[in-house]
Amino acid sequence: MNSKHSKVSQFGLDPLKMPRHVAIIMDGNGRWARKKLMNRVKGHEQGVKTVRHITEACRQLEIPFLTLYAFSTENWQRPAHEVSALMNLLVRFLKSETADMVKNGVRLNAIGQLERLPDKVRQALDEAMGQTENNRLLTLTLALSYGARAEIVQMARVLADKACRGEIDPQQIDETLVGQHLYTGKLPDPDILIRTSGEMRISNFLLWQIAYTELFVTATLWPDFTRDELISILQRFQQRDRRFGKVEG
Ligand code: FPP
């Protein structure tokens, strides 16, 4: 038994059935804060701590890809002070975590309309992505100013442009080429999508990529989400019969 086998087996997990890619809609920071009679921003601050714990858990569990929905295109419509607090938290997170990411083999990646982010966020992102680009244990992708429909629109524009220039024949456009032109072009599709705080919605997240993803919705609010709950979801995932539209066997 190699170390990989022993490591996940100790959590009651089958090493041969581990997901490669876990995606998470981190929801419920505001409600967590309200329940505690605190400002919403306190909920986001606590949410950042969960980001750190779950990233560390995925690395320990040798899950190579983790994608977190940190800020949607719709989130720009929140009150300016909340948007600004989220941007500040992001910069703080990037600055304080980069050294640990470098040390722990975590590669930072970002998807979304990154050009809409304030300069200070883009600079911190570029810095963190540059410093971690050679890491391979875990790719942590932050979806920032992300919307799946906008992602699909930009893909269509790029492919149409290539076709107009004669670089591709429209007949060449297939699922592989479409996938390669999404922001997630270099990532495998998620095996698992988790949404915290109980809402049964996809909220414009990875619409193309989750065609055959296993969905898990938990009532737990994101700041309360733990490594143990992640492990319990992984155990349930391993019991699911993934047929990808085919019959069993
Ligand atoms: C949803 O809670 C959460 C967000 C809109 C942002 C998620 C952001 C973080 C966890 C912190 C920043 C992230 C990183 C990676 C540093 P909500 O505000 O919609 O909660 P509610 O539905 O209860 O109001």
Side-chain angles (χ1 to χ4, degrees), residues 26-31 40 44 48 70 75 78 90 93 142:
M26 309 181 287
D27 196 10
N29 295 348
R31 273 162 286 171
R40 292 176 58 79
H44 296 313
V48 176
N75 287 156
R78 292 194 175 197
L90 199 54
F93 169 83
L142 299 181

Side-chain angles (χ1 to χ4, degrees), residues 140-177:
L140 168 63
T141 300
L142 299 181
L144 294 168
S145 190
Y146 175 88
R149 288 185 171 182
E151 176 184 37
I152 290 169
V153 167
Q154 74 76 35
M155 171 276 297
R157 284 193 185 137
V158 172
L159 288 181
D161 198 46
K162 286 190 177 178
C164 286
R165 290 167 198 266
E167 290 169 20
I168 55 167
D169 178 338
Q171 293 308 317
Q172 268 174 273
I173 299 175
D174 59 9
E175 293 184 13
T176 304
L177 203 64

Side-chain angles (χ1 to χ4, degrees), residues 3 24 63 76 78 85 115 126 138 144 151 159 178 189 195 201 216-217 229 243:
S3 65
I24 308 183
I63 294 169
W76 289 116
R78 292 194 175 197
E115 66 285 355
D126 287 344
L138 169 66
L144 294 168
E151 176 184 37
L159 288 181
V178 166
D189 286 343
R195 180 169 190 144
R201 279 194 292 276
F216 293 85
V217 174
E229 187 164 4
R243 292 193 301 276

Side-chain angles (χ1 to χ4, degrees), residues 15-247:
L16 301 175
K17 289 189 179 170
M18 288 299 286
R20 284 188 75 208
H21 186 175
V22 172
I24 308 183
I25 301 176
M26 309 181 287
D27 196 10
N29 295 348
R31 273 162 286 171
W32 182 92
R34 197 168 58 225
K35 267 182 31 187
K36 296 190 152 32
L37 306 178
M38 294 194 296
N39 184 293
R40 292 176 58 79
V41 173
K42 290 280 172 215
H44 296 313
E45 283 173 12
Q46 200 63 32
V48 176
K49 293 186 185 162
T50 309
V51 168
R52 195 176 303 129
H53 295 144
I54 296 303
T55 304
E56 173 59 14
C58 286
R59 200 183 58 82
Q60 285 175 353
L61 293 161
E62 298 179 348
I63 294 169
F65 297 94
L66 171 65
T67 298
L68 301 176
Y69 204 2
F71 194 85
S72 71
T73 45
E74 291 73 25
N75 287 156
W76 289 116
Q77 290 156 38
R78 292 194 175 197
H81 66 87
E82 185 173 340
V83 171
S84 145
L86 277 166
M87 294 299 143
N88 289 337
L89 270 180
L90 199 54
V91 172
R92 252 199 281 159
F93 169 83
L94 293 168
K95 294 200 165 151
S96 67
E97 297 302 315
T98 301
D100 264 10
M101 288 195 271
V102 171
K103 198 169 73 199
N104 292 324
V106 178
R107 176 188 196 174
L108 186 79
N109 179 37
I111 55 171
Q113 295 175 333
L114 305 180
E115 66 285 355
R116 291 180 71 184
L117 296 169
D119 286 347
K120 63 177 182 195
V121 178
R122 289 177 62 184
Q123 278 160 15
L125 261 182
D126 287 344
E127 178 71 24
M129 290 194 295
Q131 284 194 38
T132 60
E133 70 186 344
N134 295 320
N135 288 349
R136 287 291 174 273
L137 284 183
L138 169 66
T139 298
L140 168 63
T141 300
L142 299 181
L144 294 168
S145 190
Y146 175 88
R149 288 185 171 182
E151 176 184 37
I152 290 169
V153 167
Q154 74 76 35
M155 171 276 297
R157 284 193 185 137
V158 172
L159 288 181
D161 198 46
K162 286 190 177 178
C164 286
R165 290 167 198 266
E167 290 169 20
I168 55 167
D169 178 338
Q171 293 308 317
Q172 268 174 273
I173 299 175
D174 59 9
E175 293 184 13
T176 304
L177 203 64
V178 166
Q180 285 168 349
H181 285 79
L182 297 173
Y183 300 137
T184 51
K186 293 196 170 74
L187 305 178
D189 286 343
D191 301 293
I192 295 180
L193 172 63
I194 300 169
R195 180 169 190 144
T196 57
S197 95
E199 313 285 356
M200 297 285 184
R201 279 194 292 276
I202 299 297
S203 299
N204 202 15
F205 191 43
L206 302 177
L207 294 181
W208 170 275
Q209 298 87 339
I210 59 168
Y212 285 101
T213 299
E214 296 293 325
L215 308 180
F216 293 85
V217 174
T218 167
T220 305
L221 304 175
W222 176 249
D224 291 329
F225 190 74
T226 59
R227 182 183 82 160
D228 283 353
E229 187 164 4
L230 174 66
I231 291 171
S232 143
I233 287 172
L234 295 174
Q235 289 165 344
R236 281 155 60 206
F237 166 77
Q238 295 197 331
Q239 273 148 26
R240 289 206 188 166
D241 178 23
R242 298 184 82 194
R243 292 193 301 276
F244 298 96
K246 300 177 203 134
V247 289

